[in-house]
Amino acid sequence: MGMITLFWIMFLLLLLYTILPTVLIRLFGLWMYTKKSNGDGIALTFDDGPDPEFTPKLLDLLRKYQIKATFFVLGSKAEKYPHLILRIHQEGHLVGIHNYVHWANAFMSPKKVRRQLSYSVNAVENIIGIKPIYYRPPWGIINVFDLLLVKRFRLVLWSLMVGDWRSRGGKERIKMKLLAKLKNNDIILLHDSGETFGADKNAPVYMLAALDDFLEICKLRGYNFLRIDTYMQLVAQAEQEPVRLLKRLLIYLWLKWEHFFHWLFNIHPIDLNNQIFYSRVCKYHGKTIHLENGEEICSGDLVVELHFNNEKLSQLIAESNSMVQLAVNMIRDVQRFLPTMAQYLHLHQKVKGIYGITMIHRGSKQLGFTVEELPKGLFNIFSHIYLRILLLVFHPNGKQRIELKKGQLSPRIVAISVQELKRRYSLDPER
């Protein structure tokens, strides 16, 4: 194998292992937090500490301006200076990690990176009793396997860096760069140690002096400084707002479609005072339903087909503080509806039973209904898709419910005979 071929193989491996994933996160902010797109709040962050000379001075300065910051610390230094980690935590700042020693992930195996992180997490947790979950890789360089860390850590980069690890230009260079580049949603990167490879040992002297002037100006301008965890909560809220607006639009459009569907197939409410169900009288088409009381509903029998009123369901969801309260409210409304249903059936003597298809079937048996599996086939598949979309649109945590209850969220046939309904719920004692 020639030297040129070997060079290109090594370059390709390096490209896939570290260059490409690092470029993706740095240019496009994929998988890592860099900055908010809008909003009010600046995150002040410090790397490479704690340092016995500069970190105490930095903490004094932050206390002077009553600012909370985030410290991405090295695990080896946390073990060496536990009193500084404890002070950072006790004064209300957030402790994140920055590897055990300041090595770039590009030059370590995935196993070594994880070992560095585990050592660092354990070092910090042993001091403050809290497991750190915020992580900034040294120099912002990662390898492709670090993308798997997003399940365990919140990976954080920066949006404003001013080269404060160099002494040249003194405090004025640092201060002017901070003021010139600052935006009201930046994540600022500074360093409270000068011991890292490539840094000037006394550079934090100038950083602290510049920071003092900078914070004084920011105070006059009314800037708000946040810890990274608070900053990220605001990011999540800002990102969720368009989703909430879209969901409200989807609900509106869905309900409009349902109104048209009800008109088209003559589906209407039976109880105008408790419109939890819409219904229509039609012929049943499907497999024979064997009811609990020994009766059967067969294909061709006249039935009342029930449909949940999703507008009412949406209202119940909005009025309920928990899933338990929602279930209680729904059962209450169903119990109120059934006597009206029994009275309605006195006018439809040929109807044999009532049935519907739903994923919300818990508690149905206690009300006298038979619950059966939906037969396999295209209708089953369509019902699965339709009802899951319905849950996704109307339930505030629909996506999570679908993921957590995959095995349970399947449509069922819920049915009861007219005779059983009248026996249980008729208002006429002679019937």
Side-chain angles (χ1 to χ4, degrees):
M1 183 183 295
M3 289 297 294
I4 295 177
T5 304
L6 182 61
F7 167 80
W8 282 111
I9 291 174
M10 294 296 292
F11 175 77
L12 182 61
L13 290 174
L14 188 64
L15 178 70
L16 296 175
Y17 186 67
T18 184
I19 296 175
L20 187 58
T22 298
V23 168
L24 286 174
I25 66 166
R26 297 293 290 274
L27 289 183
F28 303 107
L30 300 178
W31 307 291
M32 284 205 182
Y33 295 115
T34 52
K35 66 182 292 185
K36 293 186 293 182
S37 58
N38 52 53
D40 182 19
I42 297 165
L44 199 55
T45 68
F46 300 92
D47 288 5
D48 301 356
D51 183 275
E53 179 181 357
F54 301 116
T55 302
K57 294 177 181 177
L58 173 57
L59 290 170
D60 291 342
L61 184 60
L62 294 174
R63 184 165 55 188
K64 172 184 172 182
Y65 291 100
Q66 298 183 328
I67 285 173
K68 304 304 179 188
T70 303
F71 289 76
F72 292 99
V73 303
L74 296 171
S76 57
K77 288 189 174 183
E79 290 177 341
K80 193 173 181 181
Y81 308 111
H83 63 287
L84 291 177
I85 299 295
L86 192 59
R87 182 182 168 187
I88 290 170
H89 173 67
Q90 289 176 340
E91 294 189 7
H93 305 290
L94 181 66
V95 181
I97 56 175
H98 196 47
N99 280 4
Y100 188 74
V101 294
H102 205 284
W103 291 343
N105 294 7
F107 305 113
M108 294 190 289
S109 67
K111 183 178 180 180
K112 191 166 186 177
V113 172
R114 278 150 186 75
R115 193 160 57 234
Q116 288 248 340
L117 292 174
S118 294
Y119 289 160
S120 300
V121 167
N122 292 337
V124 172
E125 187 177 13
N126 289 338
I127 298 166
I128 65 174
I130 298 174
K131 191 186 294 291
I133 61 169
Y134 291 90
Y135 169 54
R136 176 176 284 161
W139 292 295
I141 298 173
I142 66 166
N143 65 59
V144 68
F145 295 97
D146 291 341
L147 300 179
L148 300 175
L149 296 174
V150 295
K151 295 181 179 180
R152 182 181 173 193
F153 296 100
R154 307 288 186 269
L155 278 61
V156 182
L157 288 181
W158 58 86
S159 60
L160 176 53
M161 179 172 61
V162 294
D164 65 307
W165 59 86
R166 295 192 299 270
S167 300
R168 187 180 61 193
K171 78 165 189 176
E172 288 301 321
R173 177 185 62 85
I174 297 170
K175 181 178 75 173
M176 295 310 295
K177 280 193 172 184
L178 283 171
L179 292 172
K181 296 181 179 181
L182 180 66
K183 294 182 180 61
N184 203 24
N185 53 359
D186 271 318
I187 299 177
I188 300 174
L189 166 60
L190 296 170
H191 302 79
D192 58 328
S193 174
E195 295 181 349
T196 305
F197 175 77
D200 296 332
K201 192 170 180 60
N202 65 338
V205 172
Y206 304 106
M207 183 278 291
L208 290 169
L211 184 62
D212 196 353
D213 290 352
F214 172 71
L215 293 179
E216 182 66 39
I217 294 170
C218 287
K219 181 180 179 182
L220 294 173
R221 294 181 180 178
Y223 284 117
N224 183 31
F225 288 87
L226 307 168
R227 297 186 350 168
I228 277 292
D229 52 352
T230 307
Y231 182 98
M232 294 308 166
Q233 286 174 5
L234 296 178
V235 172
Q237 290 171 8
E239 290 175 347
Q240 286 172 5
E241 186 57 30
V243 174
R244 284 194 289 266
L245 291 173
L246 177 60
K247 198 161 188 175
R248 285 200 290 267
L249 176 61
L250 286 174
I251 290 173
Y252 173 80
L253 294 175
W254 192 289
L255 293 176
K256 287 298 181 184
W257 148 250
E258 283 197 344
H259 290 160
F260 173 73
F261 180 83
H262 292 162
W263 171 81
L264 189 64
F265 290 97
N266 195 28
I267 299 171
H268 52 81
I270 292 174
D271 186 350
L272 296 177
N273 297 316
N274 179 27
Q275 298 185 29
I276 190 167
F277 290 113
Y278 281 77
S279 66
R280 66 169 179 162
V281 176
C282 61
K283 285 186 177 181
Y284 172 70
H285 299 285
K287 74 164 191 173
T288 299
I289 304 173
H290 301 279
L291 302 173
E292 296 288 342
N293 67 346
E295 294 185 76
E296 295 179 344
I297 296 177
C298 304
S299 183
D301 286 340
L302 205 62
V303 295
V304 172
E305 184 181 84
L306 291 181
H307 298 261
F308 261 120
N309 178 358
N310 289 311
E311 190 167 7
K312 175 71 173 178
L313 183 59
S314 178
Q315 180 186 339
L316 287 174
I317 290 171
E319 293 173 351
S320 303
N321 296 323
S322 66
M323 287 302 298
V324 173
Q325 186 180 356
L326 174 62
V328 169
N329 290 339
M330 287 186 65
I331 290 172
R332 178 203 64 200
D333 281 1
V334 171
Q335 287 174 326
R336 284 174 47 209
F337 167 80
L338 291 174
T340 305
M341 183 77 217
Q343 189 175 11
Y344 170 80
L345 288 171
H346 293 326
L347 305 175
H348 296 272
Q349 298 294 330
K350 294 182 179 180
V351 171
K352 188 167 185 183
I354 301 95
Y355 98 107
I357 298 172
T358 180
M359 286 194 297
I360 309 174
H361 47 76
R362 186 172 297 178
S364 299
K365 288 186 177 181
Q366 286 82 348
L367 297 174
F369 286 82
T370 297
V371 180
E372 287 192 0
E373 294 278 350
L374 201 61
K376 292 182 179 179
L378 287 176
F379 184 72
N380 185 311
I381 295 170
F382 172 78
S383 297
H384 264 83
I385 295 170
Y386 173 79
L387 292 172
R388 283 172 184 248
I389 292 173
L390 196 66
L391 183 63
L392 191 66
V393 171
F394 281 92
H395 198 287
N397 299 311
K399 184 177 180 181
Q400 293 89 329
R401 295 285 297 176
I402 289 172
E403 291 174 351
L404 290 173
K405 306 281 186 179
K406 280 183 180 178
Q408 301 175 29
L409 290 177
S410 57
R412 298 283 195 276
I413 295 173
V414 177
I416 188 171
S417 72
V418 169
Q419 294 300 324
E420 182 66 16
L421 184 78
K422 288 180 178 180
R423 186 183 71 81
R424 285 174 175 261
Y425 301 104
S426 179
L427 299 174
D428 185 349
E430 296 180 1
R431 293 181 178 271

